[in-house]
Amino acid sequence: MQRMEGTRLSVRTRATVVTSEGRMVADVAAVFRTPEPLSIPAPIAKHFAEVIATPVTRPYLREAIHQSAVRLGIAAPLLSVLDLEDVGLLPAGAGVTGLS
């Protein structure tokens, strides 16, 4: 979800994790600022949210889910690693080499 107002683009992401012990939902918002007011077409704002904001907010979603599980006394689920192809940071089939 994104919203543009003046010099700020706000992006909100949500993660829902269902385990045998329960369902956890975490919401995280990030605010990106521009030097001057912009008018960004909806498709561009959506693409920005997918490609830039998702990788920025993902660690916070993971931590929120983990901390919620710890506080509830249940096994902490792991959110999968962000697939760079899914958010358009790598062309499909490009893969990542040289990482260990």
Side-chain angles (χ1 to χ4, degrees):
M1 204 163 98
Q2 68 274 345
R3 178 173 58 189
M4 184 72 191
E5 290 180 346
T7 62
R8 299 181 340 164
L9 174 62
S10 302
V11 179
R12 181 176 158 201
T13 56
R14 172 180 279 184
T16 302
V17 178
V18 179
T19 71
S20 61
E21 297 180 278
R23 178 179 174 208
M24 290 170 278
V25 179
D27 282 302
V28 174
V31 177
F32 300 88
R33 294 178 188 243
T34 60
E36 52 191 61
L38 296 175
S39 176
I40 299 174
I44 301 296
K46 182 179 185 288
H47 186 68
F48 178 86
E50 292 169 348
V51 175
I52 303 298
T54 297
V56 168
T57 59
R58 183 71 169 202
Y60 298 99
L61 286 172
R62 291 170 62 107
E63 180 64 18
I65 293 291
H66 177 82
Q67 287 300 317
S68 294
V70 168
R71 288 183 185 136
L72 292 168
I74 63 176
L78 295 175
L79 292 180
S80 63
V81 173
L82 185 63
D83 187 336
L84 298 179
E85 289 178 9
D86 287 347
V87 296
L89 293 177
L90 285 179
V96 177
T97 59
L99 298 178
S100 51

